[in-house]
Each structure stands twice: as C-alpha cells, then as structure tokens.
Amino acid sequence: MWSLSVAHSHSSCISALPTSPAPTVSIQYPRVLLVLRFSIYTRFLRMEKGGRSRINCIFENLVTFLRRCIFYVLSVGPFPYHIAFIMDGNRRYAKKQNFMEGNGHSVGFLALLSMLKYCYELGVKYVTIYAFSIDNFKRQPEEVQSLMDLMQLKIEGLIKEESIANCYGVRVHFIGNLKLLSEPVRLAAERAMLATANNSKAVLSVCVAYTSTNEIVRAVQKSCEQKWEEISILDASGSGYGLTEVVLSEKDEGENLINLIDIEKHMYMAVAPDPDILIRTSGETRLSNFLLWQTAYCSLYSPYVLWPEIGFRHFLWAILNFQQNHFYLEKRRKQL
C-alpha cells in the first residue's frame, strides 16, 4: 500500500514513499452479501406468498358472493326444505385415480362438506346423508374396519368449535340401528349428538347401520307394542271395557287400531319431514333401501359423476330440476 509522508529536511517536500503493510481488518464480504441476498429473497418469498394468499382470499370471497347471489335468485322460486344424498362412487373413484382402497372415502368427505355448505348457504333446513348401510357390514372385514375408523375420526371432528356443525348451527342426528356399530363409533356418535343438541338453525341426519326396510319393520313393531301396552293398561284399570278381547275378535277386523300416524312417529326419520330432493351420484337411479317410505313424492336427481367429483353445478341443477317439477309433485301429494 502507498501513503503520503512528510520529510523534515532542508527542503520540505511531499513524496510518495512505499511503507510497510499496515494491519487490515478482514471483512468477509461474500458471507455478508450471501446473508443479505438470502434475507431479501426470503422476504420476497413471504411477500409473494402473502400476495398469493390475499389473491386467493379475494377470489374465494368473490366466488362466495356470486354463489350467494345465485342462491338469492333461486329463493324466488319453490324452495327445498329437505335434501337427501346417497353418496355413491367413492370406491370407484379410488380405483379410477389409482388411490389406495379407502382413500376415496376421504376425498368423498371433502365433497360432503362442500354440499353441506351449499345447502346451509341456500337456507335448506334439513339434510340427510346415507353414510353406511346395514348391508355394508357384509363387505370385507378390513374395509368395514377402515370405514369405521374414518367415521369415528370425522364424527369427532363435528364436536370441534370450528366444525361445520358449529359454524352453521347444525344439530346432528345419527339414524339407524346404532347397536350394530362398534363401541368407539357409537360413543362418538352419542357425544356428537349431545354436543350439538342446542343447535337449532339446521338439522343433519346421518344414516348409519340403516336400511329403510329395517326402519319400517321396527316402526311397525314399536307401534304394535305401544298400542298393546295402552290397551293392557286400560283393561287392567277396569276402564278398557274388555278391549283385549275386542282386539282379538273377528268383529274388529275391518278397523285399524294402528294407523299411519302411529307408524310414522316411530320411524327413525321422524326427526325430519319427507325430503324434497334426493341426489344420488354415479348415474344410478336405485334407492338402495334408503328412505323408501319418505320419498314417494320426491324429486330424484342422478348426475353421472362419482360422489367425490360432485360440484356446485350439479347441486344447482338439482335445485332447478326440483323447481321445474315442484308443482306437479305438490299436486300429486295433495291428491292423497
């Protein structure tokens, strides 16, 4: 290095002389630049991520706004009070996508959450889903156990504060012969029903260990037991005037001691009115032993998509189909 020095001699002059190297402070510029560059890059990524999050949030809010505008227009026409779903095609979807067996049901649960959100945003009071049939117990034990585990996990999620049940004020009922369920699933179902008992804005009926024939047979049995108990009590008190013998006599063959109301009040589905719309995916038009008693005058819609593929457009078309046929179905209903 070179420095300026002053020489004190007869003639003072300034000259540039070489000097010994002075001690220098070693500053590691490459590391500083690397840290600075990394800091700027990280901040840029955060800004980019935050920007994307804000864009996604704006987009989701816009979609929600447009969807609610559509629902507002639909509400001008006939309005479905109760929608039922047969969630068909989960296993075929898993096979189609080369998923592991059982993963199709996990994806199907996400589709269910979307359908529930659409229903409650539209203002549908009652929703019923066919989650597990009694006949499904005939499947392979490994598959049944996998479904039970998934069901327990999703049922326990209904109790959480941020769950769809609490967000929309939904009371949950589990419909069917719950004794057939494994103990952990049954207890989880009971906890969910207890936890949502005070919710009153909407009702979700989950049919598990259910078939319609089982429901009807049970309702008839309960009706007969109740009627026989009422007659026996009256007879024992002396105010029955021998009704037990009258019931068994041939003279009373033409009289109905058990009527339609007696049976319907003992049905599992007494917690909800008859459905206005029944949606079954996969293009199937079979009811598969689901709500046979309740769907005599119900609008049926069977899109060809598998259940995990169902979307808003299918839900919208089901509502439009119901509105188109509503007056005809109401006319037939009133003819009863």
Side-chain angles (χ1 to χ4, degrees):
M1 294 184 61
W2 298 84
S3 63
L4 294 178
S5 62
V6 179
H8 297 279
S9 60
H10 295 288
S11 59
S12 297
C13 65
I14 301 176
S15 61
L17 298 173
T19 60
S20 60
T24 59
V25 179
S26 177
I27 303 176
Q28 299 181 356
Y29 286 102
R31 180 176 296 179
V32 172
L33 290 176
L34 182 62
V35 172
L36 182 61
R37 183 181 300 174
F38 179 76
S39 176
I40 294 173
Y41 180 68
T42 305
R43 186 174 180 182
F44 173 77
L45 287 179
R46 288 176 182 172
M47 290 175 62
E48 186 179 16
K49 185 177 179 181
R52 288 179 181 176
S53 299
R54 285 193 292 271
I55 292 172
N56 290 337
C57 184
I58 292 171
F59 180 74
E60 288 177 4
N61 290 337
L62 178 61
V63 170
T64 301
F65 174 75
L66 293 175
R67 186 170 63 241
R68 289 179 177 175
C69 288
I70 293 172
F71 288 159
Y72 179 78
V73 174
L74 289 175
S75 65
V76 177
F79 196 76
Y81 200 56
H82 182 182
I83 298 179
F85 294 95
I86 299 178
M87 304 179 291
D88 190 18
N90 289 314
R91 290 193 297 174
R92 275 171 284 173
Y93 179 81
K95 184 183 257 187
K96 177 181 174 182
Q97 300 293 333
N98 294 320
F99 289 164
M100 292 180 60
E101 190 172 351
N103 286 354
H105 292 89
S106 298
V107 181
F109 180 75
L110 299 178
L112 172 61
L113 292 180
S114 295
M115 289 298 109
L116 291 176
K117 183 171 70 172
Y118 299 154
C119 287
Y120 299 137
E121 284 183 1
L122 180 60
V124 177
K125 174 79 173 178
Y126 295 92
V127 177
T128 300
I129 60 173
Y130 200 7
F132 197 84
S133 166
I134 291 177
D135 297 331
N136 291 146
F137 284 108
K138 299 175 184 177
R139 295 181 180 178
Q140 294 295 326
E142 298 80 11
E143 183 181 357
V144 173
Q145 185 59 48
S146 174
L147 291 174
M148 289 293 109
D149 293 341
L150 178 63
M151 192 180 302
Q152 181 183 351
L153 179 65
K154 300 308 180 184
I155 290 173
E156 289 172 347
L158 291 173
I159 305 175
K160 295 181 179 178
E161 186 177 350
E162 68 277 8
S163 70
I164 193 168
N166 290 320
C167 287
Y168 290 95
V170 181
R171 181 174 185 177
V172 181
H173 293 283
F174 286 88
I175 305 297
N177 188 356
L178 303 185
K179 294 178 181 178
L180 297 177
L181 298 174
S182 62
E183 185 176 359
V185 177
R186 187 176 67 255
L187 293 177
E190 291 173 355
R191 287 194 298 270
M193 287 190 285
L194 183 62
T196 61
N198 293 326
N199 294 346
S200 58
K201 292 182 179 179
V203 175
L204 172 63
S205 299
V206 183
C207 294
V208 291
Y210 170 93
T211 60
S212 192
T213 49
N214 175 263
E215 177 187 29
I216 294 170
V217 169
R218 174 187 173 277
V220 172
Q221 289 175 339
K222 292 289 184 182
S223 301
C224 292
E225 290 171 3
Q226 181 181 13
K227 187 62 66 174
W228 184 259
E229 185 178 352
E230 291 173 358
I231 292 172
S232 299
I233 291 173
L234 288 173
D235 235 17
S237 65
S239 57
Y241 304 103
L243 278 175
T244 306
E245 288 76 13
V246 172
V247 170
L248 299 175
S249 70
E250 294 182 0
K251 295 191 238 181
D252 208 43
E253 286 181 357
E255 185 179 346
N256 294 324
L257 291 176
I258 298 176
N259 54 36
L260 189 65
I261 296 176
D262 293 325
I263 295 175
E264 287 188 335
K265 73 181 182 181
H266 288 100
M267 301 285 274
Y268 288 132
M269 286 301 297
V271 298
D274 292 348
D276 300 299
I277 303 174
L278 174 61
I279 300 175
R280 175 170 186 159
T281 48
S282 303
E284 298 286 350
T285 53
R286 298 175 290 109
L287 294 180
S288 295
N289 216 344
F290 178 58
L291 303 185
L292 301 180
W293 185 280
Q294 296 87 356
T295 53
Y297 299 97
C298 176
S299 176
L300 302 178
Y301 176 58
S302 303
Y304 283 95
V305 294
L306 302 175
W307 174 254
E309 299 170 333
I310 193 171
F312 178 69
R313 67 185 186 278
H314 306 105
F315 179 78
L316 181 60
W317 189 252
I319 302 298
L320 293 173
N321 184 56
F322 162 76
Q323 292 184 337
Q324 183 179 4
N325 297 289
H326 173 73
F327 295 107
Y328 169 76
L329 293 173
E330 278 299 303
K331 182 179 179 181
R332 293 299 303 268
R333 196 192 303 264
K334 290 176 182 178
Q335 289 175 355
L336 290 177

